Amino acid sequence: MKEVVAIIQMNKMEETKNALDVVGVPAFTAYKVMGRGKQRGLDIIYPSDLNEPRGGPVKFLPKRMISVVVEDEFVPAVVAVITKINRTGNIGDGRIFVIPIEESVRIRTGERGSEAVS
């Protein structure tokens, strides 16, 4: 099994979700995240909890991060669909990472491996 982690633009979330459902991947986890890359981001100054200076502003942009765990044979389809929906050709389209998963356990039933993911 592999985890496919994608960082995408906020406005592409709904279309990505629908496309993953069409290729048979209805379940995934989505997060609201902040990050920066070649776009350089926005100025955000984080307040200090201890009233100590934290330096200058940190530049971040709002993004979505999605995490999908699938069997190895589905990885190319998942990567292709995420790429197709999110590629605009502009800086900021995002990144995709594929990470090996050692084990999966469904807490409710104790199922393991691919049964725990489906």
Side-chain angles (χ1 to χ4, degrees), residues 11-85:
N11 64 343
K12 296 290 189 170
M13 188 65 222
E14 191 69 22
E15 194 176 354
T16 301
K17 178 185 77 164
N18 294 336
L20 286 170
D21 196 25
V22 167
V23 297
V25 182
F28 64 90
T29 303
Y31 310 88
K32 288 182 181 179
V33 297
M34 301 289 283
R36 63 176 270 177
K38 290 184 179 181
Q39 286 177 294
R40 296 295 177 215
L42 308 168
D43 287 338
I44 298 174
I45 300 175
Y46 288 96
S48 173
D49 295 335
L50 303 173
N51 293 324
E52 296 175 10
R54 295 185 105 176
V58 180
K59 294 185 176 203
F60 288 109
L61 284 171
K63 298 284 185 175
R64 285 286 190 150
M65 184 167 73
I66 59 174
S67 169
V68 183
V69 177
V70 294
E71 292 293 328
D72 292 1
E73 62 266 18
F74 291 111
V75 170
V78 169
V79 169
V81 131
I82 294 170
T83 301
K84 180 180 179 187
I85 298 301

